[in-house]
Amino acid sequence: MPDSILIVDDEKEIADLIELYLQNEGFQILKHYNGASALHCVENESIDLAILDVMLPDIDGFALCAKIRELHLFPIIMLTAKDAELDKITGLSLGADDYVAKPFKPLELVARVKAQLRRAQKYTASPSNSEDVITVGGLMINSKTHECLLNGTALKLTPTEFSLLRILALNKGAVLSSDELSQQIWQEEYFEKGNSAITVHIRHIREKMGESFENPRYIKTVWGVGYKLEYS
């Protein structure tokens, strides 16, 4: 069964263009032009990934993203204005996994969609190995079940957050730069995220873990270098 992609954009020409390119890749498309109908779709359809425009006629894409994240963890890609850094950071802070600035190249958006779906799906499809379950202190990451527990309490992580935390756990004690983390997460070299995306995702994970920025017990910032995961 093909993956189902939700497209939400009030500019019909852009929504139709995205639909055309994704349909050519074999995806099933659910297309909406406002937030209200999109929310109704999310409540009644099975969705594997959503593409949300920031500017919508009723509720903005940020509010729509936050509402979806209350109950769903499928990947979300935000469509932001060109060079609108604040929009990008806001979207990531509300649980989006990626962003694409308008105007965009349709083939790049298709590549982003495929990368997000690969990451969301690969763990349950992977064979059993010694890296399926990683423990660091009271933190347990299970790649096969895509679960993350902290002291027995489940953390509600997005696919990108889960991937980031898993990479840090696999490299326990080693410092990884934002560039190294970006390369491992997004995998494509032309995904020029910069440090801001990783910084926002790290902050989001720390918040969900109840971590103190000043004195974290798990995710440590090594200033000028990057991040590492260890228990203290």
Side-chain angles (χ1 to χ4, degrees):
M1 185 174 180
D3 289 316
S4 180
I5 311 296
L6 171 66
I7 301 170
V8 188
D9 196 316
D10 65 330
E11 296 184 71
K12 186 177 186 299
E13 295 80 5
I14 293 179
D16 291 347
L17 178 66
I18 298 172
E19 178 183 34
L20 176 63
Y21 273 82
L22 291 177
Q23 281 183 335
N24 285 341
E25 296 294 326
F27 295 112
Q28 177 182 338
I29 304 302
L30 300 166
K31 185 172 57 174
H32 294 269
Y33 303 118
N34 61 70
S37 62
L39 278 176
H40 184 266
C41 176
V42 170
E43 293 170 358
N44 293 278
E45 301 287 347
S46 176
I47 295 171
D48 296 293
L49 180 145
I51 301 171
L52 312 179
D53 186 29
V54 170
M55 301 298 293
L56 295 173
D58 46 0
I59 62 175
D60 63 39
F62 298 136
L64 180 57
C65 177
K67 194 69 177 176
I68 290 173
R69 277 289 175 255
E70 290 178 4
L71 293 174
H72 302 281
L73 292 175
F74 55 74
I76 296 175
I77 299 175
M78 301 294 298
L79 298 181
T80 70
K82 182 178 176 64
D83 299 327
E85 188 68 17
L86 180 60
D87 282 355
K88 299 170 185 176
I89 300 303
T90 300
L92 294 172
S93 297
L94 292 171
D97 296 278
D98 198 0
Y99 55 79
V100 175
K102 291 182 175 181
F104 56 85
K105 296 178 180 178
L107 288 177
E108 180 182 353
L109 179 59
V110 171
R112 302 283 185 96
V113 167
K114 289 181 176 179
Q116 289 294 332
L117 289 171
R118 281 198 304 268
R119 182 163 57 258
Q121 297 166 356
K122 70 176 182 179
Y123 297 119
T124 54
S126 63
S128 178
N129 59 66
S130 60
E131 295 179 351
D132 281 344
V133 178
I134 311 165
T135 59
V136 181
L139 181 67
M140 187 279 290
I141 301 171
N142 189 322
S143 298
K144 289 199 71 175
T145 61
H146 212 272
E147 291 178 304
C148 182
L149 303 179
L150 180 60
N151 298 323
T153 300
L155 299 180
K156 192 176 180 181
L157 302 177
T158 68
T160 298
E161 292 165 358
F162 185 92
S163 294
L164 179 53
L165 192 57
R166 181 177 180 272
I167 290 168
L168 288 170
L170 284 171
N171 296 275
K172 181 173 60 175
V175 181
L176 300 178
S177 69
S178 293
D179 287 343
E180 289 173 320
L181 291 168
S182 294
Q183 179 63 32
Q184 290 194 53
I185 290 174
W186 285 285
Q187 299 180 355
E188 309 293 343
E189 290 185 359
Y190 61 86
F191 286 7
E192 297 178 357
K193 296 294 173 187
N195 293 338
S196 59
I198 294 297
T199 300
V200 173
H201 285 307
I202 290 289
R203 176 167 59 82
H204 223 208
I205 295 170
R206 281 172 170 163
E207 289 172 353
K208 293 181 178 182
M209 294 177 69
E211 288 268 86
S212 164
F213 173 78
E214 295 79 9
N215 188 29
R217 303 195 69 183
Y218 286 93
I219 302 176
K220 314 293 176 61
T221 301
V222 181
W223 295 107
V225 184
Y227 303 94
K228 65 178 179 178
L229 190 147
E230 62 184 11
Y231 181 68
S232 61

